[in-house]
Amino acid sequence: MAPPSSDSLRIIILGGGIAGLTTALALTKFAPKGQVPKIEIYEIRPELAVIGGAVNLTPNALRMLDYLGALQIMKDRDYGKTIDFLEVFDVYSGKLAESSFRGPDGNGVGDPPYKALRITRGDALKAVISAVDAQENISIACGKRTVKIDEQKDSVTIHFEDGGSATGDLLMGCDGIHSVTRLKHVEPERKATYSGVANAFGFAPIEKDFKVHFECTAINFARRGMLLTSYFNSKMDAVYVGGLMQVADVGSRDGWKSVGADADKTRQSLLERFGDAKIPCIVPLIEKAEDFFLWPVYTLTKYGKWSTDRVMLLGDAAHAMPPQGESTGIVFEDTVLFSRCLTRWIEKGKPGENMREPFEAYEALRKKRIETAFEESKNVVSTVSDAGWIGHTIKTYVVPWFLWFTHGYREKHFKEDVTTSDLNY
């Protein structure tokens, strides 16, 4: 990619996670010829974080990563495990249903076809970082804590704790659920709240003769939560174990850090919830899992402000919600669609130099989809919350029906290509 020209946009991105990095790639990829933007990414951590659990990248997410140049890096490095289908189990009675990514001919969904990929967050981020490093127009600075944001008619400046500052034409807030961009500038009163559920996860090394009950990846429902068990690499020598469950609020982020750091206590909590499972491998996998972490799931209100005249929030900073199976893909869609709207504005000659036009085009395109996803996430919270035997039995009947009933909707979304879809702008 050619370096930016003197009249290119100067774009600042707050947040060096998957949202910020893919936003930088999308803004670069979709830039009009000869107008590649100069992009500066600022991350609060001393280095880019490559830790975390494992995520399922659905076909539409892989399509976008392929377009942005990161999927081939994942393939070259043998990151992740291809997922043909997801199996759903009741831990007391066995298999309930499955959700397929194989498509009509077994090669995947869409044209060209993609299946799904279970990959650790760390490996996904490493691949995206490598794609970013190949771009001359993108720079990354870590250890930069933003303390103030000043927005003028024709620019926006962020001030750092160390006394430095950065000025650009546009600021992208890709800094997550506790976004400084939102809390210090866009909508300070819109604070994150605890959803009532937390995610406990670890990785269990297994021997070759260890028998699991699933082929690729499985969701296992119990009366007091849901346990995800999945391979996440091609060697299949370890299983990702992640429990989503109702946990009482401890009252503060520091309190959650303290609770989450106690791996043995987290493991014991999972054993209490899933220890009566009839599926033989469930308890051994929980016992084998190393370095358990417990993370509270925070959420924002369904409706909120996403932008000012020169500042735009993307991903969790704008619309954090409980995980509903496509959270990472939704972030990628944000980055691609916003970048395309901004590019369209540039191609139109930056009418009036008013960025509200592409901002409003993006929000009109995106908010309905996000509102639908919010409603879907409510179902996840209720499904993993504690239930009695009657409630759980009803769930085992409802889940297969729900998967069958929504199959067409999911398939349609998996086929969608937001790199070329109509922007109505």
Side-chain angles (χ1 to χ4, degrees):
M1 178 61 67
S5 61
S6 58
D7 61 344
S8 297
L9 285 178
R10 301 163 300 160
I11 300 176
I12 299 169
I13 296 176
L14 276 188
I18 199 80
L21 297 174
T22 52
T23 296
L25 287 175
L27 289 166
T28 302
K29 181 74 174 180
F30 289 100
K33 188 175 181 180
Q35 298 189 61
V36 179
K38 180 179 185 294
I39 302 174
E40 298 173 349
I41 302 174
Y42 294 97
E43 166 60 36
I44 191 172
R45 296 182 180 89
E47 58 185 18
L48 298 182
V50 289
I51 60 172
V55 295
N56 190 42
L57 300 177
T58 50
N60 53 316
L62 294 180
R63 184 174 294 108
M64 286 177 280
L65 284 175
D66 200 0
Y67 192 83
L68 297 178
L71 182 59
Q72 190 58 50
I73 295 172
M74 294 177 184
K75 291 179 178 178
D76 292 343
R77 298 181 183 179
D78 194 25
Y79 286 162
K81 173 72 173 71
T82 297
I83 304 299
D84 286 3
F85 60 97
L86 182 154
E87 297 174 88
V88 180
F89 293 85
D90 169 25
V91 299
Y92 313 112
S93 62
K95 189 169 179 176
L96 299 174
E98 66 179 51
S99 180
S100 178
F101 305 107
R102 289 171 291 200
D105 56 6
N107 294 324
V109 179
D111 184 21
Y114 295 85
K115 293 183 179 178
L117 185 75
R118 178 74 63 182
I119 185 173
T120 65
R121 288 185 179 274
D123 283 348
L125 196 63
K126 288 174 188 175
V128 172
I129 290 171
S130 293
V132 167
D133 286 342
Q135 312 302 320
E136 294 182 44
N137 62 308
I138 304 173
S139 64
I140 303 174
C142 294
K144 308 293 283 187
R145 180 182 294 274
T146 300
V147 294
K148 185 180 180 183
I149 298 173
D150 283 326
E151 182 174 344
Q152 306 298 324
K153 182 178 179 181
D154 59 356
S155 66
V156 58
T157 300
I158 55 175
H159 301 270
F160 302 115
E161 191 177 56
D162 60 13
S165 65
T167 298
D169 301 300
L170 166 64
L171 169 61
M172 305 297 301
C174 303
D175 44 350
I177 179 69
H178 302 293
S179 168
V180 168
T181 316
R182 186 186 71 251
L183 294 173
K184 287 189 176 294
H185 187 68
V186 175
E187 193 176 15
E189 63 274 17
R190 191 173 179 227
K191 296 177 172 59
T193 57
Y194 177 51
S195 66
V197 298
N199 182 32
F201 68 88
F203 297 89
I206 60 172
E207 306 78 21
K208 287 185 177 180
D209 59 350
F210 186 86
K211 302 296 182 182
V212 299
H213 61 297
F214 56 90
E215 184 170 324
C216 302
T217 188
I219 290 177
N220 309 282
F221 286 108
R223 289 189 302 111
R224 299 182 62 208
M226 180 272 286
L227 191 73
L228 175 68
T229 52
S230 179
Y231 292 120
F232 58 91
N233 63 24
S234 60
K235 296 178 182 178
M236 297 193 296
D237 58 359
V239 171
Y240 171 71
V241 180
L244 197 60
M245 52 198 182
Q246 186 176 342
V247 178
D249 192 359
V250 300
S252 69
R253 291 176 67 186
D254 287 340
W256 277 112
K257 288 178 182 179
S258 176
V259 172
D262 192 337
D264 289 337
K265 186 174 181 178
T266 298
R267 187 193 317 279
Q268 188 58 42
S269 179
L270 285 175
L271 288 172
E272 290 172 1
R273 294 168 181 272
F274 300 98
D276 58 350
K278 303 302 181 185
I279 297 173
C281 70
I282 293 290
V283 169
L285 284 174
I286 295 172
E287 292 174 340
K288 287 173 176 286
E290 300 172 347
D291 300 325
F292 259 121
F293 293 93
L294 181 68
W295 293 96
V297 176
Y298 282 92
T299 185
L300 294 174
T301 53
K302 182 177 179 180
Y303 304 105
K305 187 177 180 181
W306 289 5
S307 64
T308 59
D309 288 344
R310 287 188 175 268
V311 180
M312 171 62 74
L313 303 175
L314 291 186
D316 283 353
H319 50 67
M321 64 190 83
Q324 35 65 282
E326 295 184 55
S327 301
T328 307
I330 286 174
V331 171
F332 297 159
E333 288 177 355
D334 280 3
T335 66
V336 167
L337 290 171
F338 176 79
S339 297
R340 291 183 61 206
C341 287
L342 188 68
T343 292
R344 180 74 186 107
W345 173 71
I346 295 171
E347 291 172 340
K348 291 171 68 175
K350 302 179 185 176
E353 293 290 330
N354 180 9
M355 283 190 177
R356 288 307 309 166
E357 182 178 311
F359 284 13
E360 289 170 1
Y362 166 73
E363 292 185 26
L365 186 70
R366 198 73 185 125
K367 284 203 168 182
K368 185 176 180 180
R369 167 72 179 117
I370 296 303
E371 289 165 10
T372 300
F374 258 102
E375 293 305 313
E376 294 169 352
S377 72
K378 290 180 181 178
N379 294 330
V380 173
V381 172
S382 61
T383 302
V384 304
S385 296
D386 292 356
W389 280 110
I390 294 176
H392 177 74
T393 301
I394 293 173
K395 185 193 310 180
T396 63
Y397 285 103
V398 170
V399 167
W401 174 85
F402 178 79
L403 288 174
W404 172 82
F405 184 75
T406 59
H407 171 75
Y409 165 78
R410 291 195 309 277
E411 190 96 344
K412 180 182 178 181
H413 190 55
F414 291 159
K415 290 178 180 178
E416 185 180 9
D417 186 353
V418 297
T419 67
T420 59
S421 59
D422 188 4
L423 295 178
N424 295 316
Y425 170 45

